[in-house]
Amino acid sequence: MIDFSLQIIDWYRRTKRNLPWRDTNNPYFIWLSEIILQQTKVNQGMNYYFKFTKNYPTVIDLANADEQCVLNDWQGLGYYSRARNLHATAKIIQKQYNGVFPSRYDEILKLKGVGNYTAAAIASFAYNLPYAVVDGNVFRVLSRIFDIDTPIDSNEGQKAFTYLANELLDKNNPSEHNQAIMEFGAIQCTPSNPDCTSCIFNERCLALRNNTLSERPIKKGKIKIKNRYFHYLHFEDQDSIIIQKRTKKDIWQHLFEFPLIEKESEIDEEIMRNEILEKIGLKPTNLTKLPKHILSHQHIYATFWNFNSLPKEDFINAIIIKKNELSSYPISRMIDKYLENV
Ligand code: SF4
């Protein structure tokens, strides 16, 4: 399979985009870039990569940073568990590995938030170790060139694609081979409208020959979406505002928001006013409904109830802060959107 590798590396050298994390073999920087790029587009992730490598130039700097600062720097990128994992992992590397990023695949794989793909990426890009990356791009490229109809989200599919990716891997140049196949999926063999006419593999691509291209890769099950109904109580007077920290293991853990009442289903506005809000002893002056906020597995329907004074009642984990201090607390993109419009 060496010809596959030679061809794709040759294509990569001619076509690749210049991306800052490709100019380094510093495992810490590569790890940062990989975690930032999970669920994030390259253009959006770029500024965060520059911010994190500048603000935390070594893994020890990140370990010693305050979690709130790390979450603040992450703000806008979503999936905050990634930032918490980064911070927690930096501390583990500081403690268990003396601040030196681990260099063995099995050790890298043990780090929090690091799965098979990320471990293979760090091991190959930083240390040139022969582990093939298998991400969405690789699934797509291989399923098309070899016209594989095994679902990629099945155990069988994971095993088959990992085996094939490792068979194809150039063991002498795993770093460039892995970069090449991912780049090929990102800019040539794209999810829709792949550029087959100019493709170096168009003569051997079985999905193109068999006219199954639009059906590759195959997925077994679609993700089940959960609807959630959030009612935020936005209390503020002339100088102060009440915010609350999310402490449960859930979306946006450790971020701040307004005191929240979550309901199982959509609830009539009048019922909400009469039965629930009245118990607080204050009448809302206004309410704002946000358009559906979409996360990968959840849709959030948020209503913000505005009060122009502070309640007597205490809310768990709530604090009263000055309004102008709000920007120093990490908040979700959804709360940010709401604040942009009030
Ligand atoms: S011919 Fe088209 S589908 Fe096949 S690998 Fe090339 S770009 Fe992808």
Side-chain angles (χ1 to χ4, degrees), residues 5-143:
S5 190
L6 289 177
Q7 259 183 295
I8 206 160
I9 289 175
D10 176 61
W11 169 89
Y12 177 67
R13 289 181 183 164
R14 286 184 283 111
T15 324
K16 69 177 174 184
R17 295 165 294 174
N18 279 327
L19 300 174
W21 42 85
R22 288 188 177 151
D23 297 332
T24 179
N25 56 6
N26 176 336
Y28 166 63
F29 285 0
I30 291 167
W31 170 61
L32 279 179
S33 72
E34 288 299 333
I35 303 296
I36 288 171
L37 291 176
Q38 289 169 0
Q39 325 276 352
T40 301
K41 293 210 165 66
V42 164
N43 283 349
Q44 196 199 357
M46 189 96 76
N47 286 338
Y48 288 85
Y49 175 78
F50 288 131
K51 193 195 294 184
F52 270 77
T53 50
K54 181 168 170 272
N55 292 354
Y56 316 103
T58 68
V59 72
I60 293 173
D61 293 316
L62 181 60
N64 289 337
D66 185 59
E67 187 191 58
Q68 204 152 306
C69 295
V70 176
L71 290 172
N72 252 337
D73 283 341
W74 194 267
Q75 197 161 305
L77 207 47
Y79 301 97
Y80 286 83
S81 56
R82 290 183 291 166
R84 286 189 299 273
N85 284 343
L86 269 183
H87 190 229
T89 303
K91 283 182 181 298
I92 291 169
I93 294 173
Q94 182 182 41
K95 224 170 153 189
Q96 289 180 10
Y97 297 94
N98 238 345
V100 178
F101 207 95
S103 58
R104 283 199 347 237
Y105 176 83
D106 60 328
E107 287 172 337
I108 300 171
L109 189 59
K110 276 191 212 143
L111 301 176
K112 220 173 173 185
V114 170
N116 292 334
Y117 159 74
T118 310
I122 298 169
S124 62
F125 303 159
Y127 303 111
N128 214 25
L129 293 173
Y131 292 91
V133 291
V134 185
D135 73 342
N137 287 315
V138 176
F139 277 127
R140 187 168 58 257
V141 171
L142 298 185
S143 70

Side-chain angles (χ1 to χ4, degrees), residues 12 20 74-75 104 112-113 164 174 203 263 268 312 316 330:
Y12 177 67
W74 194 267
Q75 197 161 305
R104 283 199 347 237
K112 220 173 173 185
L164 177 59
E203 287 192 359
K263 305 304 292 178
D268 186 79
K312 298 243 171 354
I316 300 165

Side-chain angles (χ1 to χ4, degrees), residues 135-286:
D135 73 342
N137 287 315
V138 176
F139 277 127
R140 187 168 58 257
V141 171
L142 298 185
S143 70
R144 286 175 175 173
I145 296 179
F146 296 93
D147 199 16
I148 302 169
D149 61 2
T150 315
I152 59 171
D153 53 349
S154 63
N155 281 342
E156 198 193 346
Q158 297 279 340
K159 275 190 203 149
F161 280 92
T162 304
Y163 179 79
L164 177 59
N166 278 296
E167 282 290 293
L168 294 168
L169 183 70
D170 178 351
K171 308 284 189 299
N172 294 316
N173 192 3
S175 169
E176 219 175 2
H177 173 107
N178 278 340
Q179 299 270 15
I181 192 165
M182 290 202 299
E183 187 74 341
F184 189 80
I187 64 177
Q188 178 90 35
C189 191
T190 49
S192 48
N193 303 321
D195 188 358
C196 301
T197 319
S198 72
C199 176
I200 52 168
F201 294 123
N202 59 13
E203 287 192 359
R204 66 193 275 184
C205 177
L206 295 180
L208 182 65
R209 194 181 303 165
N210 299 339
N211 207 14
T212 51
L213 203 149
S214 59
E215 295 151 32
R216 301 286 176 265
I218 286 194
K219 272 196 182 173
K220 173 165 73 119
K222 291 227 156 66
I223 295 169
K224 227 177 149 200
I225 301 287
K226 182 179 175 197
N227 290 326
R228 299 180 73 176
Y229 302 87
F230 285 6
H231 292 265
Y232 283 114
L233 310 179
H234 176 176
F235 299 107
E236 70 171 68
D237 62 13
Q238 272 189 329
D239 324 294
S240 308
I241 192 162
I242 296 189
I243 56 171
Q244 193 176 39
K245 190 170 184 176
R246 288 181 73 87
T247 53
K248 288 198 185 129
K249 214 166 175 12
D250 190 3
I251 54 166
W252 306 328
Q253 192 186 13
H254 297 174
L255 301 195
F256 287 80
E257 60 187 8
F258 301 113
L260 171 68
I261 298 173
E262 179 169 357
K263 305 304 292 178
E264 296 271 312
S265 57
E266 208 162 358
I267 188 162
D268 186 79
E269 233 175 85
E270 275 319 294
I271 298 179
M272 188 72 193
R273 274 179 204 278
N274 296 337
E275 292 183 11
I276 300 166
L277 299 177
E278 246 181 33
K279 287 189 192 142
I280 300 166
L282 292 173
K283 278 205 179 343
T285 50
N286 195 9

